[in-house]
Amino acid sequence: MKQKKIKLCLPYLMVTPAFLVMLLVVILPIINTVVQSFSTADGSFTLANYRYFLTSPEAFESLIFTLVESLSTMLLAVILSFFLALYLRFSKSAISRIIGRLYLLPRFIPGIVAVYAVMNIIKDSGFINRFLQLFGIMYKPGLLYDMKGIILCNLWFNIPFSAMLLSAALSNVTDSYVESAKDAGCGWKMILIKIIWPLVYKDIIVAATFILMGQIGSFTIPYLTGPNNPKMLGILLYQQVNTYLDYQRAAALSVLMFIICLSGAVVYIKSNMKEEVWQTVK
């Protein structure tokens, strides 16, 4: 009887240390942040912290700016990486093999180093401007300190990450599927819609979700390449804590950022649930 009780309790005892660590570093900080977001400096209840970010012109513009930048980066990164992954999967050329070995290289370059490298190319006095001056062309890209610069720098990091996920998904599309479809008279458009898409759409949602969550809380790239106003929410959160010392508003902004990220997670969870239901019915 004693050994049976030990066997029953052993799994819970083994899980307890991990649960306590998660409780300490994840659950308690979340609860504390939510409580603080509804509090004033003296501890009384208030909705003013949330009202500020939804009614203040500067804060609301920053919220919209972040959403537009995040969704734009997500869409561009997923679309470009999907076509890159398709090319790497189905092309047999020497160029595709070289790209297949090199496309992950940006992931191994320190972030701030990569940002400064991109800045030295796209700024008005950067490489593009100096190169065109050799041909008598005076061209200023106007990409830096603007949303376009943030998106461009973020694509540097997110396209390799997304392409890696989609390349792994496309490995499930065997050549026999494609050849059978071609023998049946299907073109590439029909093959893409009927064969490739059902096998990779889940991984596309995963890539899009991770990119979106990374963009909502991004700091380094917007800090170095973004405009002073409006600004990304990560910069706004940094200012609330370090410049204004307003921890209650910072907590409210953290909750809002979490809710935005949660929307992407809901889409991912729903896609998994639909797949499980489909498998059960089948």
Side-chain angles (χ1 to χ4, degrees), residues 56-126:
S56 170
E58 179 183 0
F60 189 72
E61 286 178 7
S62 296
L63 176 62
I64 299 301
F65 181 86
T66 301
L67 290 175
V68 173
E69 189 279 332
S70 301
L71 292 173
S72 300
T73 300
M74 180 190 71
L75 289 174
L76 288 172
V78 168
I79 292 172
L80 294 175
S81 61
F82 179 62
F83 284 108
L84 175 61
L86 283 175
Y87 174 72
L88 295 176
R89 169 63 183 83
F90 294 106
S91 176
K92 307 300 182 182
S93 65
I95 296 177
S96 67
R97 290 195 295 271
I98 294 173
I99 295 176
R101 293 186 178 96
L102 297 179
Y103 79 96
L104 284 176
L105 186 61
R107 300 296 301 177
F108 298 97
I109 299 176
I112 195 167
V113 175
V115 173
Y116 274 117
V118 175
M119 289 174 64
N120 285 327
I121 293 176
I122 67 175
K123 65 182 180 181
D124 290 346
S125 59

Side-chain angles (χ1 to χ4, degrees), residues 25-281:
V25 302
V26 177
I27 299 177
L28 290 180
I30 290 176
I31 295 174
N32 178 69
T33 300
V34 173
V35 172
Q36 197 172 19
S37 69
F38 289 100
S39 305
T40 61
D42 58 4
S44 58
F45 178 83
T46 182
L47 294 175
N49 299 319
Y50 289 96
R51 193 179 302 116
Y52 168 78
F53 291 106
L54 297 177
T55 59
S56 170
E58 179 183 0
F60 189 72
E61 286 178 7
S62 296
L63 176 62
I64 299 301
F65 181 86
T66 301
L67 290 175
V68 173
E69 189 279 332
S70 301
L71 292 173
S72 300
T73 300
M74 180 190 71
L75 289 174
L76 288 172
V78 168
I79 292 172
L80 294 175
S81 61
F82 179 62
F83 284 108
L84 175 61
L86 283 175
Y87 174 72
L88 295 176
R89 169 63 183 83
F90 294 106
S91 176
K92 307 300 182 182
S93 65
I95 296 177
S96 67
R97 290 195 295 271
I98 294 173
I99 295 176
R101 293 186 178 96
L102 297 179
Y103 79 96
L104 284 176
L105 186 61
R107 300 296 301 177
F108 298 97
I109 299 176
I112 195 167
V113 175
V115 173
Y116 274 117
V118 175
M119 289 174 64
N120 285 327
I121 293 176
I122 67 175
K123 65 182 180 181
D124 290 346
S125 59
F127 173 78
I128 296 176
N129 176 268
R130 296 195 301 272
F131 178 77
L132 293 178
Q133 284 186 31
L134 298 175
F135 303 95
I137 302 174
M138 181 60 68
Y139 174 71
K140 296 183 180 297
L143 296 174
L144 207 57
Y145 309 120
D146 187 74
M147 182 186 292
K148 297 187 291 293
I150 301 176
I151 293 175
L152 193 60
C153 289
N154 278 315
L155 290 178
W156 165 280
F157 297 100
N158 288 304
I159 288 178
F161 166 75
S162 182
M164 178 181 64
L165 293 178
L166 298 182
S167 294
L170 286 172
S171 64
N172 296 322
V173 183
T174 61
D175 292 336
S176 60
Y177 295 167
V178 178
E179 291 171 1
S180 299
K182 286 182 178 179
D183 293 339
C186 296
W188 272 107
K189 181 179 179 181
M190 189 61 63
I191 293 173
L192 181 64
I193 296 174
K194 297 296 184 180
I195 297 178
I196 296 177
W197 176 256
L199 293 174
V200 303
Y201 83 95
K202 176 183 173 182
D203 298 270
I204 291 176
I205 294 175
V206 172
T209 301
F210 279 102
I211 292 173
L212 178 65
M213 291 190 295
Q215 293 305 300
I216 296 298
S218 61
F219 176 81
T220 303
I221 292 176
Y223 185 78
L224 295 174
T225 65
N228 292 326
N229 191 54
K231 54 182 72 70
M232 295 286 288
L233 292 182
I235 308 298
L236 191 61
L237 179 62
Y238 172 82
Q239 290 182 340
Q240 293 296 326
V241 173
N242 291 277
T243 303
Y244 306 120
L245 301 179
D246 197 330
Y247 301 105
Q248 288 73 33
R249 282 184 180 177
L253 181 56
S254 299
V255 174
L256 290 175
M257 294 169 67
F258 172 75
I259 292 173
I260 296 172
C261 293
L262 187 62
S263 63
V266 168
V267 175
Y268 168 67
I269 293 172
K270 280 190 173 183
S271 68
N272 280 345
M273 291 176 64
K274 287 181 180 179
E275 185 175 7
E276 290 173 2
V277 171
W278 175 81
Q279 289 176 345
T280 304
V281 173

